[in-house]
Amino acid sequence: MSENKFSPFELIESFGHEQVVFCSNKELGLKAIIGIHNTTLGPALGGTRMWNYASDEEALIDVLRLSRGMTYKAAVAGLNLGGGKAVIIGDSRTQKTEGLFRAFGRYVEGLSGRYITAEDVGTSIKDMEYIMMETRHVTGIPIEVGGSGDPSPVTAYGTYVGIKACVNEVYGNDSLKGKKVIIQGAGGNVGKHLCKYLHEDGAVLFVNDIYEDKLKKLVTDFKAKVLNDEEVYTTDADVFSPAALGGIINDDTIPKFKVKIIAGAANNQLGEEEKHGKMLKDKGILYAPDYVINAGGLINVYNELEGYNRERALKQTAGIYDILKSIINISKKDNVPTEVASRKIAENRMEAVSQAKRIRIYRDKRLFNQRNM
Ligand code: NAD
């Protein structure tokens, strides 16, 4: 990138996006960017984030980064979806209006299904309802209006089966009986459901959260032991399962870990993907890439697009077990971090599907020529 000069096209090219849409409506205060990274596998799906970015450049970089991440997430999960995301620039506490979201909805509608939106940080179901007044291309909506509802229980289920896949790799069998599992953010939407699955399977729970009242219930229901903010990284256990913050695997925490497995739902766990993925591998800690193990929520909304069925969504989410096993096998075979192995699976799948589509176009043309002979 040229020094000190903000060049949107150079940025977009460096992330490899197909299309980026800038949405502006001065009267309604709308400034938004929709990033469509890659639609090889299907329509680009990803939530709309509302955030008070310090600059337009920061907003663009965020939407490019997040939408590219969605491409990889959908590809590894085996879904026929591409990667997309949108950002609305503004303060989500003070700048939300019906007009703003309806104007944004019209931009989504204008993309004719190439981009499908959903809730994200800073947006709510209420905002999605306004967007839905202008477009059908919205997912992750409440059960009452025909949607799939809160995805957290499905995300938690996917995380649970992902933990079992990792335990199988390290201990030679799937049993969680007596296994010590640390859950950070245990009182949250994903954390509390995950605790239930783990407890029912015989795991011993160590929990941490910033809200004591949320922890009390886990102590009563699951005999969990509470850890403070330091102990969550230093306690000797089998599994560390982050379900709160991003960036918690870093130069500071990696030397402290006394676990064999890190497998949790939190987004963007690695401070720096390549560096910290490699540091975990060198330390002998098996890391389940976050966007693979937490794909249950995306699988859930994908099912909503096809007419929601909870059984089918859970069955598909159970597939995270085999996906993680394949990633671990490639990681061992190629001697690379699991993060690198999962990117390889995603890229191979996109390459194969794009190759298959090329063949289809050729055959269609041949038929056309024959008919016109
Ligand atoms: P949530 O807000 O319901 O839960 C997060 C929990 O973490 C809360 O109980 C909160 O009190 C706690 N917390 C916040 N800061 C903390 C800190 N410094 N130390 C310890 N605990 C802290 O969110 P959620 O929906 O359960 O999501 C959890 C994580 O999983 C997030 O990173 C989210 O992006 C990711 N994720 C969630 C889903 C989903 O379906 N909900 C899907 C994919 C990824």
Side-chain angles (χ1 to χ4, degrees):
M1 179 118 26
S2 344
E3 229 178 292
N4 299 330
K5 197 169 163 281
F6 170 41
S7 165
F9 277 104
E10 278 187 32
L11 256 180
I12 292 164
E13 280 164 19
S14 72
F15 278 86
H17 277 63
E18 284 178 16
Q19 188 179 9
V20 177
V21 182
F22 287 81
C23 319
S24 160
N25 188 316
K26 194 159 182 268
E27 287 68 31
L28 293 168
L30 176 71
K31 277 172 110 182
I33 314 173
I34 301 171
I36 297 179
H37 178 250
N38 189 304
T39 56
T40 303
L41 300 175
L45 191 147
T48 296
R49 181 166 290 197
M50 185 163 183
W51 195 256
N52 218 352
Y53 293 99
S55 67
D56 296 351
E57 183 177 6
E58 198 187 284
L60 179 60
I61 291 172
D62 207 30
V63 79
L64 294 175
R65 187 179 59 83
L66 294 166
S67 50
R68 183 177 62 184
M70 291 305 292
T71 296
Y72 282 85
K73 185 168 186 163
V76 183
L79 304 175
N80 289 323
L81 288 177
K85 203 90 181 183
V87 296
I88 296 179
I89 302 170
D91 189 332
S92 63
R93 287 161 305 175
T94 57
Q95 286 176 264
K96 286 185 177 183
T97 61
E98 175 180 354
L100 181 118
F101 284 104
R102 291 186 71 155
F104 176 71
R106 293 190 72 80
Y107 281 100
V108 174
E109 179 63 14
L111 288 164
S112 308
R114 266 175 65 70
Y115 169 65
I116 302 167
T117 197
E119 254 186 276
D120 201 272
V121 176
T123 56
S124 66
I125 286 293
K126 179 86 192 139
D127 308 327
M128 292 304 125
E129 282 171 7
Y130 288 134
I131 295 174
M132 277 166 64
M133 290 172 190
E134 304 297 335
T135 180
R136 286 166 296 130
H137 306 300
V138 183
T139 187
I141 53 176
I143 293 170
E144 309 84 80
V145 284
S148 56
D150 177 13
S152 307
V154 184
T155 302
Y157 178 64
T159 308
Y160 161 69
V161 298
I163 289 174
K164 282 178 87 73
C166 294
V167 164
N168 183 287
E169 175 63 26
V170 172
Y171 298 96
N173 64 66
D174 283 7
S175 173
L176 292 181
K177 198 160 174 44
K179 294 280 183 302
K180 294 178 183 162
V181 185
I182 301 167
I183 304 110
Q184 183 181 43
N189 287 324
V190 175
K192 65 185 181 202
H193 291 287
L194 177 64
C195 285
K196 187 163 186 288
Y197 281 119
L198 294 171
H199 172 74
E200 284 171 357
D201 210 347
V204 180
L205 306 187
F206 293 81
V207 294
N208 167 269
D209 202 289
I210 46 174
Y211 293 110
E212 274 182 32
D213 54 324
K214 290 184 177 183
L215 292 174
K216 269 190 197 143
K217 186 161 166 48
L218 301 173
V219 172
T220 314
D221 292 354
F222 309 131
K223 299 190 184 70
K225 183 176 181 312
V226 175
L227 299 180
N228 67 31
D229 292 350
E230 180 60 15
E231 289 167 341
V232 81
Y233 300 118
T234 57
T235 299
D236 200 340
D238 299 288
V239 183
F240 171 52
S241 189
L245 311 162
I248 38 88
I249 302 173
N250 53 44
D251 290 348
D252 182 39
T253 56
I254 293 175
K256 295 178 187 168
F257 285 128
K258 293 195 199 84
V259 290
K260 295 194 170 58
I261 295 165
I262 298 182
N267 275 318
N268 308 318
Q269 292 167 29
L270 298 173
E272 289 172 54
E273 273 175 22
E274 286 192 15
K275 180 183 177 190
H276 295 126
K278 183 167 183 312
M279 277 173 76
L280 289 179
K281 179 176 177 292
D282 292 347
K283 198 173 168 175
I285 296 177
L286 175 58
Y287 170 64
D290 46 18
Y291 64 92
V292 179
I293 194 168
N294 74 15
L298 182 63
I299 295 170
N300 201 49
V301 293
Y302 177 70
N303 272 271
E304 181 178 320
L305 298 175
E306 300 184 334
Y308 190 61
N309 175 316
R310 173 59 68 112
E311 285 301 303
R312 191 182 53 191
L314 286 173
K315 204 166 161 209
Q316 214 173 344
T317 301
I320 288 175
Y321 184 101
D322 287 334
I323 294 168
L324 270 171
K325 279 295 211 174
S326 314
I327 289 170
I328 294 166
N329 286 338
I330 292 179
S331 152
K332 286 196 292 189
K333 187 163 79 51
D334 296 355
N335 194 24
V336 292
T338 45
E339 167 65 27
V340 175
S342 85
R343 255 186 283 149
K344 186 173 172 182
I345 289 184
E347 281 161 9
N348 286 349
R349 181 165 175 246
M350 285 188 279
E351 181 53 36
V353 172
S354 106
Q355 187 66 32
K357 284 183 180 169
R358 265 179 240 151
I359 293 165
R360 178 103 169 264
I361 290 162
Y362 166 73
R363 287 172 73 194
D364 289 348
K365 265 194 193 157
R366 202 176 46 175
L367 284 175
F368 177 81
N369 290 340
Q370 279 171 358
R371 273 194 224 112
N372 288 284
M373 269 197 301

